[in-house]
Each structure stands twice: as structure tokens, then as C-alpha cells.
């Protein structure tokens, strides 16, 4: 089936959004399992205590990250407006993605253009194409045109527009690979990722991965209407590094995604992620490298606000299911909101 132009643009916008940080797609609690044995409980107690201590020690963080992504010939070309497959192995690059986290429920991610290499010239590499802010149970997104640079004529798959999700639930979001290692290191028990001790199980205290032997813990996340697949999530932790996560894995019925993390030693705050890889065997593979970082430095409050520019059309969603409410408006020069129809929003944002 071929999609109309507007629908294709919307699909591309959704891909960009999901790669950055998905909206609140929460897991459903799985069935109760028998309580762990005393030794297992002691190991889990120590791991989660170390995770909490690291959370408490690092009150805020700011990371800048570069990314190289490799896609195999035949994989979907997500940079193309038309549905197609790559005719060769392809490299994509991204520069200067920024992530701020403060406390347990405040996060901002600023995404920059993704370049198809070597077709696209690496210019204007730090232009903002997507800004995502989550505070508590509200997430704001501002999507700008041209998230991809392919070397062809510039094409704006959408116009600048905003979205707001106001969740009334307590489930965590499903986060993308650029931020997951930072959350696993500094915020594994926060609402963003929500690793809970009562859901975790000790699998192996001597599990071989990445050429070393580590402790493997695991949890099962049931499907929901928003994320219609059951998944198993595992973490390998290093006791020598205060139980930092050195490897993680997400498995579904038809796919496995692995991530490996390397660390550098910070003289004040301990081990800090310096680079990581994420991939699926025989498909895409991404490398992330930390350009710079700051820990426990004050963060300007404006980082966690989302003042949409004047003239921005916005879709504002609250609740879910039968309680879902959607309204549309355009931001006025004085910051007020002028209500518009769904049709006008689609026309202004150039999405269905």
C-alpha cells in the first residue's frame, strides 16, 4: 500500500520522535512471581541500593553526544520521504545531541539533523530538529522541518509544529538508545525507565558478555495498547564498578536489541558513560560517543520549559482511551492560545 504524501510525512515525523524518546508508552505489570530466595534478595538489595546511591549523588547532568548509525542494504530507508529500501550499506551521522536530566522526573533532549553520508555535506550540524521536554507526566515536543539531510534537494516533510502529551498514569515511557544508557546509569529507578526491585530477577552471577563475566538481572514487561508487544529486558552489572550496567538487552518475539556501555572514571562522581553501541544482529548498528558532560551543575530552568514560538500549531492530548481529550491551537505573539480545528492544524503542520 502506498501512503498519501501527508501520511508519509507523519510517519517520518513519528520515527524521528520515537528515536529520540517515545511518548508515555507504559508497561503493564506482569503476573506476580514467587519471592526471591534469600541470597538472590541480598544481591538485588545491593544492586538497587547502589543504583539509588548513584541517583542521589548525581542530582543533575548534561551530556553532549555524537552518533554514527550503520544500516544494511535492504533495510528501510527512514530518511526517504517515499517508502523504499536502501540499495547499499549506509552510514548516517548526527552531531551534538544534548540531554539534560534533573531530579527524578525532568528531562530535555535536543536532537540535531541526521546526515546521510557521504551524500550529504556536514553543514549546519547543530541545527535543532526536535526538542523534547518531559516534566512529571507531561511531555512537550517541538518538531522542525528537515530532520534528515540526504544530499538531495531540501524537502520539508512537515512544517514546524508542537505536540503535548499529558498522562494521568504512572507508567514509564519507552526510551530510545541515545538516552537509555544514561538512565540505566543515573536514573534506573526513575519514572523514565522504572526498574523496580520487586519486578527484577537474578538470572546469573557469572554471565559472560562482552568478554567479561557480570551479574545478569532481568524483568518482563507485558504488552499494552500503546506498545503491543511483550518484551524481556536484561541488564548485566559490574560489581567492580558499584553495579554499573555494562550491557543491556531488549527481546521481543521477533527481535533482539543489544547495548554495550563503556565508562570513564570521574574523580568526583565515579564511573560515567563515555561511549556505547546499540544494535540488532544483521541489521542496524549505532555508535554513540560522549563529546562532553557536566554533573551536578546548575541547569537553567528554561531548559525544562517548552515555550513554542509564536505561530506554532499545537496538538494537545490529555488522558487515554475513552478519556482521551484532544485540542488544537496556535500560539499567539503574546503567548496565549488561539483555538483551531483539527483540519486547520493538519493544514498548518502539513501532517494528517
Amino acid at each position: 500500500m502506498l501512503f498519501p504524501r501527508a501520511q508519509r510525512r507523519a510517519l517520518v515525523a513519528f520515527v524521528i520522535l520515537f528515536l529520540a524518546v517515545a511518548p508515555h508508552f507504559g508497561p503493564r505489570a506482569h503476573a506476580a512471581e514467587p519471592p526471591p530466595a534469600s541470597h538472590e534478595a541480598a544481591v538485588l538489595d545491593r544492586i538497587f541500593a547502589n543504583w539509588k546511591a548513584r541517583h542521589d549523588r548525581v542530582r543533575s547532568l548534561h551530556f553532549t553526544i555524537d552518533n554514527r548509525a550503520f544500516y544494511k542494504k535492504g533495510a528501510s530507508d527512514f530518511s526517504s520521504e517515499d517508502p523504499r529500501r536502501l540499495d547499499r550499506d549506509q552510514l548516517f551521522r548526527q552531531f551534538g545531541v544534548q540531554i539534560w536530566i534533573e531530579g527524578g522526573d525532568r528531562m530535555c533532549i535536543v536532537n540535531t539533523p541526521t546526515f546521510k553520508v557521504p551524500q550529504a555535506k556536514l553543514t549546519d550540524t547543530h541545527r535543532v530538529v526536535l526538542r523534547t521536554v518531559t516534566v512529571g507526566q507531561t511531555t512537550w515536543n517541538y518538531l522542525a522541518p528537515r530532520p534528515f539531510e540526504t544530499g538531495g534537494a531540501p524537502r520539508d516533510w512537515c512544517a514546524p509544529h508542537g505536540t503535548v502529551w499529558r498522562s494521568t498514569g504512572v507508567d514509564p515511557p519507552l526510551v530510545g538508545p541515545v538516552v537509555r544508557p544514561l538512565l540505566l546509569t543515573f536514573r534506573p529507578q526513575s519514572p523514565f525507565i522504572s526498574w523496580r526491585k520487586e519486578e527484577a530477577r537474578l538470572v546469573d552471577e557469572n554471565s559472560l558478555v562482552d568478554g567479561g563475566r557480570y551479574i545478569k538481572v532481568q524483568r518482563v514487561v507485558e504488552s499494552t495498547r500503546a506498545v503491543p508487544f511483550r518484551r524481556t529486558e536484561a541488564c548485566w552489572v559490574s560489581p567492580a564498578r558499584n553495579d554499573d550496567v555494562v550491557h543491556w538487552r531488549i527481546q521481543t518475539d521477533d527481535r533482539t536489541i543489544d547495548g554495550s556501555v563503556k565508562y570513564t572514571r570521574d574523580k568526583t562522581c565515579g564511573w560515567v558513560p563515555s561511549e556505547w553501541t546499540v544494535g540488532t544482529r544483521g541489521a542496524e548498528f549505532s555508535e554513540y560517543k560522549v563529546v562532553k558532560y557536566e554533573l551536578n551543575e546548575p541547569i537553567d530552568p528554561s531548559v525544562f520549559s517548552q515555550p513554542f514560538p509564536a505561530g506554532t500549531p499545537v496538538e494537545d492530548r490529555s488522558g487515554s482511551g475513552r478519556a482521551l481529550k484532544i485540542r488544537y491551537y496556535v500560539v499567539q505573539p503574546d503567548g496565549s492560545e488561539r483555538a483551531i480545528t483539527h483540519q486547520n492544524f493538519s493544514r498548518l503542520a502539513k501532517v494528517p
Side-chain angles (χ1 to χ4, degrees):
M1 174 180 178
L2 296 179
F3 292 94
R5 177 181 295 269
Q7 288 178 306
R8 292 201 302 268
R9 290 173 175 171
L11 288 172
V12 171
F14 175 79
V15 168
I16 291 296
L17 174 60
F18 188 82
L19 288 175
V21 54
H24 288 273
F25 298 156
R28 179 179 300 156
H30 55 79
E33 298 184 22
S38 58
H39 174 71
E40 177 182 354
V43 174
L44 291 174
D45 284 345
R46 189 201 73 224
I47 291 172
F48 279 83
N50 280 333
W51 285 0
K52 184 179 185 303
R54 192 175 300 112
H55 179 152
D56 295 342
R57 184 167 61 249
V58 180
R59 301 178 301 278
S60 66
L61 59 91
H62 176 207
F63 277 67
T64 303
I65 299 163
D66 289 350
N67 169 35
R68 290 160 49 92
F70 303 87
Y71 283 75
K72 292 287 188 180
K73 177 182 177 180
S76 297
D77 185 0
F78 59 83
S79 69
S80 173
E81 184 179 5
D82 299 312
R84 64 178 63 175
R85 300 283 178 175
L86 291 168
D87 59 4
R88 69 188 77 178
D89 291 351
Q90 183 63 56
L91 169 65
F92 295 88
R93 298 197 66 182
Q94 192 177 26
F95 303 88
V97 174
Q98 296 190 72
I99 300 170
W100 292 263
I101 299 176
E102 185 176 63
D105 66 348
R106 297 164 70 85
M107 180 165 61
C108 174
I109 303 176
V110 172
N111 266 271
T112 55
T114 299
F115 292 85
K116 199 172 187 178
V117 179
Q119 294 91 324
K121 295 182 179 179
L122 303 181
T123 59
D124 199 14
T125 58
H126 289 74
R127 176 172 57 86
V128 175
V129 300
L130 174 65
R131 183 171 183 265
T132 299
V133 176
T134 299
V135 177
Q137 295 178 13
T138 301
T139 297
W140 297 265
N141 291 281
Y142 179 71
L143 184 64
R146 291 170 51 207
F148 299 104
E149 296 290 347
T150 63
R155 292 176 297 175
D156 292 339
W157 291 325
C158 65
H161 64 280
T163 58
V164 183
W165 283 272
R166 306 179 192 275
S167 172
T168 57
V170 296
D171 289 332
L174 181 62
V175 296
V178 67
V179 71
R180 180 172 288 271
L182 299 181
L183 292 174
L184 287 173
T185 300
F186 299 110
R187 296 293 187 271
Q189 295 166 283
S190 76
F192 296 119
I193 198 164
S194 195
W195 264 84
R196 303 182 182 97
K197 184 171 60 177
E198 60 270 21
E199 296 176 351
R201 288 293 177 265
L202 177 64
V203 177
D204 190 348
E205 292 186 74
N206 196 33
S207 179
L208 178 63
V209 71
D210 295 338
R213 294 190 178 274
Y214 305 98
I215 296 174
K216 180 181 178 181
V217 296
Q218 184 172 289
R219 68 176 179 176
V220 175
V221 182
E222 300 294 346
S223 64
T224 66
R225 293 178 64 183
V227 184
F229 53 84
R230 188 177 191 263
R231 65 189 186 273
T232 300
E233 297 185 1
C235 289
W236 284 256
V237 304
S238 171
R241 296 181 180 175
N242 294 321
D243 297 315
D244 270 324
V245 176
V246 297
H247 193 98
W248 55 266
R249 177 175 294 160
I250 298 177
Q251 290 179 291
T252 65
D253 288 340
D254 60 356
R255 190 177 186 192
T256 298
I257 301 173
D258 275 275
S260 295
V261 189
K262 294 182 179 180
Y263 290 83
T264 187
R265 187 66 181 265
D266 182 89
K267 59 184 179 181
T268 302
C269 296
W271 295 102
V272 176
S274 58
E275 55 186 281
W276 55 90
T277 59
V278 180
T280 298
R281 185 181 298 274
E284 67 271 14
F285 181 81
S286 298
E287 298 174 340
Y288 299 84
K289 187 174 182 60
V290 174
V291 177
K292 61 180 179 180
Y293 72 88
E294 296 175 319
L295 303 177
N296 291 330
E297 293 294 327
I299 298 178
D300 190 316
S302 65
V303 168
F304 299 108
S305 66
Q306 183 60 285
F308 295 118
T312 302
V314 178
E315 178 183 72
D316 192 320
R317 292 172 169 256
S318 60
S320 61
R322 294 184 178 181
L324 176 65
K325 296 180 180 179
I326 308 176
R327 64 189 184 96
Y328 303 92
Y329 60 85
V330 172
V331 178
Q332 301 299 286
D334 62 359
S336 62
E337 303 168 1
R338 177 173 61 84
I340 59 174
T341 65
H342 177 204
Q343 290 75 16
N344 279 337
F345 170 82
S346 298
R347 177 179 56 82
L348 294 171
K350 298 183 180 178
V351 297

